[in-house]
Amino acid sequence: MKKTTSFWKKPGVQAVCASLICIAIGLLIGYIVLLIISPSGAGKAIIIILTNFMSRSSGPARLKALGNTLIKTAPLLMCALSICFCYKAGLFNIGAAGQYEAGAVAALSCAIFLHLPWYVCTLAAAAAGALLAVVTGALKAYRNVNEVISGIMLNWIMLYLTNTVLGSGSAKDPSSPYTVALDTVSPSSLIPSGGLSALFNNNRNVTIAIPLSIIIAILIWIILKKTKFGYEIMATGFNKDAAKYAGMKEKKNIVVTLAIGGALAGIGAAFMYLSGFSKWETTTASVPAMGFNGIAATFLGGLNPIGTIFASFFIQSITDGGAMIDRMVYASQISDLISGIIIYACGFVLFFKYVLNKIGKKEKSQPKSEKGGADQ
């Protein structure tokens, strides 16, 4: 007789429900904060944050705003995949922000100084992110240096190195603190639209980076779930000593995993800056939020590359929605507060799954006669 699994005990159902609970908690607390600041506009503000592009006044404006959200979702997804992939090996890649910066300086340098095509610039960004991550991986594998500590330090080292390189010579626009526009100095370095811009009210910054990031997410899922390499990565994450005892090269796996994670974050920077949508600010004094928002997307997506696609879009959508609320009353950072609360709530995912298991167990133990009576 085939054993049936309770609906509430199915891993997919639990992952979705846990994510929805985290979102609900984040939105509820965010709404309470809005009420404390100004009760009169709190309802409208939380609706704008949630609806984002749908709150625009016309159809063309909505399409263009949706395109802008998708442009920023692609690099966010890559950073989220970087953190997700490393987490499977038991590594918390908080250095994804620094690897993102490494990708930015490599991609923009190849574009502005060398005028290389976009795919070469993207590969350079991946190599730069991987190289920086290898430093963290080697320190972790061979000297047992916590990857969080080395990652955070490298984030700041790369920030100022990026500012120095891109703030000198012909890379910087003389009239602003930003790098020069790629369409004026190296049009071939811009990622092509592939006809996608026409779908979003001729938003020329909508590029093939969006479908490419989704394809990469699917490939990461295949690697983790369907390959021997992915099995070894997850085995190393579960128990490094047991993996070593089983004949796996755990040190090599740590370095390679972080290198792949760094490459993903570096590609994310290429997807952002080679789209022409954004320029690097050479005077910035803070680490880009993209790497840290990737943490929210990763955990909200249930540490699953496919779930991370949808979580990345949601996080970017509420971030863009937060920028549209009344700035005279509320700070646009309210969306960052909601994202932070979601991350915190994700720490209770195991508890939520425990509750769902209890519900499933109770449902399964219910006598058939009671179920039949209830149906009648």
Side-chain angles (χ1 to χ4, degrees), residues 29-369:
I29 297 178
Y31 179 62
I32 292 172
V33 172
L34 290 171
L35 282 173
I36 294 172
I37 297 172
S38 177
S40 59
K44 182 180 179 181
I46 198 70
I47 290 173
I48 290 174
I49 291 172
L50 273 173
T51 56
N52 183 19
F53 55 88
M54 290 302 295
S55 62
R56 299 299 175 103
S57 57
S58 64
R62 292 189 197 103
L63 284 175
K64 191 165 186 178
L66 172 58
N68 290 338
T69 297
L70 290 174
I71 291 166
K72 290 176 280 188
T73 298
L76 175 59
L77 174 57
M78 298 308 297
C79 289
L81 290 173
S82 170
I83 296 165
C84 178
F85 189 79
C86 294
Y87 199 85
K88 294 296 184 180
L91 302 166
F92 188 37
N93 187 25
I94 202 169
Q99 295 145 21
Y100 179 86
E101 294 160 352
V105 68
L108 289 173
S109 294
C110 288
I112 297 170
F113 298 129
L114 303 176
H115 310 295
L116 296 174
W118 68 272
Y119 50 87
V120 177
C121 297
T122 302
L123 290 174
L131 184 61
L132 186 68
V134 164
V135 176
T136 301
L139 289 171
K140 172 69 175 180
Y142 297 102
R143 287 294 178 265
N144 200 30
V145 176
N146 191 293
E147 72 276 9
V148 173
I149 303 299
S150 59
I152 290 174
M153 291 192 294
L154 285 172
N155 285 348
W156 291 99
I157 292 170
M158 276 310 305
L159 172 66
Y160 295 119
L161 179 60
T162 303
N163 285 347
T164 302
V165 173
L166 297 180
S168 61
S170 58
K172 181 178 174 297
D173 187 341
S175 61
S176 76
Y178 296 93
T179 51
V180 294
L182 292 184
D183 57 353
T184 61
V185 296
S186 184
S188 65
S189 299
L190 290 170
I191 300 174
S193 170
L196 291 177
S197 60
L199 301 175
F200 299 94
N201 194 28
N202 294 319
N203 188 338
R204 63 187 180 91
N205 300 123
V206 176
T207 68
I208 60 172
I210 298 167
L212 282 177
S213 64
I214 296 174
I215 292 171
I216 292 172
I218 295 171
L219 289 175
I220 293 297
W221 180 85
I222 292 172
I223 290 171
L224 289 172
K225 296 293 185 179
K226 306 295 182 180
T227 67
K228 177 184 175 183
F229 175 61
Y231 175 80
E232 288 191 3
I233 286 173
M234 292 192 288
T236 303
F238 283 127
N239 192 318
K240 185 174 67 173
D241 295 328
K244 181 180 179 180
Y245 181 77
M248 301 177 188
K249 298 178 180 178
E250 86 290 351
K251 292 182 179 179
K252 177 186 174 183
N253 286 342
I254 289 172
V255 175
V256 172
T257 300
L258 274 165
I260 294 174
L264 292 170
I267 293 172
F271 283 172
M272 171 61 85
Y273 296 105
L274 297 183
S275 69
F277 179 79
S278 183
K279 303 176 185 178
W280 181 269
E281 185 180 355
T282 59
T283 58
T284 185
S286 59
V287 175
M290 196 67 74
F292 298 110
N293 287 344
I295 299 173
T298 299
F299 286 98
L300 185 60
L303 293 170
N304 183 296
I306 305 302
T308 299
I309 297 172
F310 302 99
S312 297
F313 176 74
F314 174 78
I315 293 296
Q316 190 57 57
S317 183
I318 64 171
T319 300
D320 288 351
M324 293 170 59
I325 62 178
D326 189 351
R327 301 283 190 90
M328 299 296 291
V329 181
Y330 306 106
S332 62
Q333 287 82 3
I334 186 67
S335 56
D336 294 329
L337 170 66
I338 293 172
S339 298
I341 294 168
I342 288 172
I343 295 175
Y344 186 80
C346 284
F348 296 91
V349 165
L350 290 178
F351 171 74
F352 299 147
K353 289 184 177 181
Y354 169 77
V355 173
L356 292 172
N357 281 329
K358 292 286 284 185
I359 294 172
K361 188 176 180 180
K362 185 177 181 182
E363 184 183 79
K364 191 173 181 180
S365 62
Q366 186 179 5
K368 289 184 179 180
S369 58

